[in-house]
Amino acid sequence: MKRSLVLAGGGMRVAWQAGVVKALAEEGLHFDHLDGTSGGILTTAMMLSGVTPDEMIKRWRAVNVRNFSSALPLRDYLKGPWNLPALSDADGIVNKVFPALGIDVERIRTSTLEGSFNVANFTEKRSVALDATEIDADLLAAGMSLPLFMTPLRRDGETCSRCRLDPRRQCHRGVAARSRRGVADLVRRKLPLLGRWPAGAVRAHDRDERERRAAGRLRPRRGQRA
């Protein structure tokens, strides 16, 4: 029987997960698959990078939390709040936090453990579980990018940001599929949907919140599997 460890989000507060990973290891529990959402991406990435539980704890104690936020170019702030893309970008996370936590993309891709990282594709309105072999540093950061506070990732005509499905729904219906082949979860919204990320951090945050809350309220129809 394969065992999967699903790591939920919580921003920088996911540092507590290092202690849980250590306790699980001390109990002799090992996992064949790791899955990270939002802040849980950090713990998942550390484990897939080969960072031991004790080292995880040491690295979290030493990390500079100010590096979780890095300033945009001055010209962006001069656009005003309605046209400002976000309050900050992901450069600090990618260039400083990831190295400080021992996150190594190449080691993640070649890890003997199976892994998946959840990212929201805003353009297609779906939450994607990316296989660890497909990941890069920018996608890791995109999976943690909170609208309003951090710019999303724009690549190949698509916009990606943090995945925020209802945790119960995510755990209940996603793990088995992800552990087999990293299948994406697809949630249809009932709101009129935008195919682009709205201009301005405030508008983007408001739109993102409404669409994702609608997604979190969806439930399978009677007789259907979750």
Side-chain angles (χ1 to χ4, degrees), residues 174-216:
V175 174
R178 290 174 190 143
S179 62
R180 288 194 300 270
R181 59 185 183 276
V183 174
D185 285 335
L186 178 60
V187 180
R188 298 294 183 185
R189 274 66 167 180
K190 294 183 178 179
L191 294 175
L193 302 179
L194 294 180
R196 61 180 177 80
W197 190 263
V202 176
R203 283 194 289 265
H205 178 69
D206 175 68
R207 186 73 194 192
D208 179 83
E209 285 287 345
R210 286 190 291 153
E211 290 193 6
R212 297 191 194 288
R213 286 177 183 175

Side-chain angles (χ1 to χ4, degrees), residues 67-72 86-99 137-146 149-153:
N67 292 331
F68 276 87
S69 177
S70 50
L72 297 170
L87 298 180
S88 63
D89 60 28
D91 288 352
I93 291 177
V94 172
N95 299 324
K96 296 180 179 180
V97 174
F98 285 173
D138 288 335
L139 284 170
L140 290 175
M144 300 168 51
S145 58
L146 177 65
F149 294 99
M150 193 184 301
T151 53
L153 171 65

Side-chain angles (χ1 to χ4, degrees), residues 110-144:
T110 58
S111 175
T112 55
L113 280 174
E114 294 181 21
S116 52
F117 299 89
N118 298 290
V119 177
N121 186 318
F122 185 88
T123 305
E124 297 184 1
K125 300 299 179 294
R126 64 191 182 103
S127 298
V128 183
L130 295 173
D131 190 83
T133 59
E134 305 172 332
I135 208 69
D136 59 44
D138 288 335
L139 284 170
L140 290 175
M144 300 168 51

